[in-house]
Amino acid sequence: MPAIELNTAERRALRADAHHLDPVVMIGGDGLTPAVLKETDAALKAHGLIKVRVLGDDRAVREDILAQICDQLDAAPIQHIGKLLVVWRPIPEKVSERSDDDKRGAAPREVKILKFSKSGTRRPEVKKVMVMGNQRVTAGGLIKRAKKRVTSKKPG
């Protein structure tokens, strides 16, 4: 896959964003292995903009590694400075697991309510209560229903 092409203004903004980042992927003496590519891909999916540290001393090898990462993972090279490589790829949009037809209210849940003794010498009493989606537990341990929203009575 071809690498993403960026203009200089976009590249400059991404370099500035990457300044404070720490390297999340390190490439050791074995070079660019499939496991390293998999971790780099996972980091790009999670963060979008990452730094990669290459522990080799040969600059040509580091440039080759940067080109391979960008080609194989469909990413854009941002910066190569010393042993650090900065790579960017847009984060994919998350797909919603629920469909529009499947929108339901909150499910019933079990809540523990602690009631402390008045004297403070006995253990607190633990009571388990089922709370429906339209209910809430107050600070005093009571269960209240959520009130319906009041609409405006103004004309217009």
Side-chain angles (χ1 to χ4, degrees):
M1 290 191 236
I4 299 171
E5 296 294 327
L6 297 174
N7 61 28
T8 52
E10 293 170 331
R11 196 175 307 276
R12 185 181 319 126
L14 287 169
R15 263 198 323 259
D17 290 342
H19 178 72
H20 73 282
L21 296 177
D22 292 324
V24 293
V25 178
M26 295 186 114
I27 300 175
D30 292 340
L32 196 60
T33 62
V36 171
L37 272 175
K38 183 178 176 185
E39 286 300 316
T40 307
D41 187 39
L44 283 170
K45 282 181 186 173
H47 304 290
L49 182 66
I50 63 168
K51 278 186 182 178
V52 179
R53 181 176 298 277
V54 183
L55 299 178
D57 288 331
D58 190 8
R59 182 172 176 81
V61 171
R62 289 193 305 263
E63 287 176 357
D64 187 41
I65 287 174
L66 180 62
Q68 285 179 5
I69 288 173
C70 293
D71 286 342
Q72 293 181 11
L73 299 180
D74 193 26
I78 303 300
Q79 188 176 28
H80 172 203
I81 184 162
K83 295 183 179 186
L84 287 176
L85 312 175
V86 180
V87 182
W88 175 79
R89 182 175 69 188
I91 299 174
E93 297 206 15
K94 295 180 181 174
V95 178
S96 175
E97 292 183 16
R98 284 190 171 184
S99 64
D100 292 337
D101 301 334
D102 196 24
K103 289 188 179 177
R104 292 182 232 137
R109 61 192 188 280
E110 189 174 285
V111 177
K112 291 181 184 176
I113 298 176
L114 289 176
K115 287 216 172 183
F116 295 97
S117 68
K118 296 201 187 256
S119 65
T121 57
R122 287 190 275 147
R123 288 186 176 171
E125 182 183 333
V126 178
K127 194 168 30 168
K128 292 183 180 179
V129 181
M130 290 297 288
V131 178
M132 301 306 214
N134 63 343
Q135 296 175 335
R136 63 185 176 90
V137 179
T138 64
L142 300 174
I143 297 175
K144 290 193 170 182
R145 284 196 175 162
K147 296 178 183 173
K148 290 188 176 180
R149 185 174 176 183
V150 179
T151 57
S152 175
K153 295 180 180 164
K154 292 182 182 178

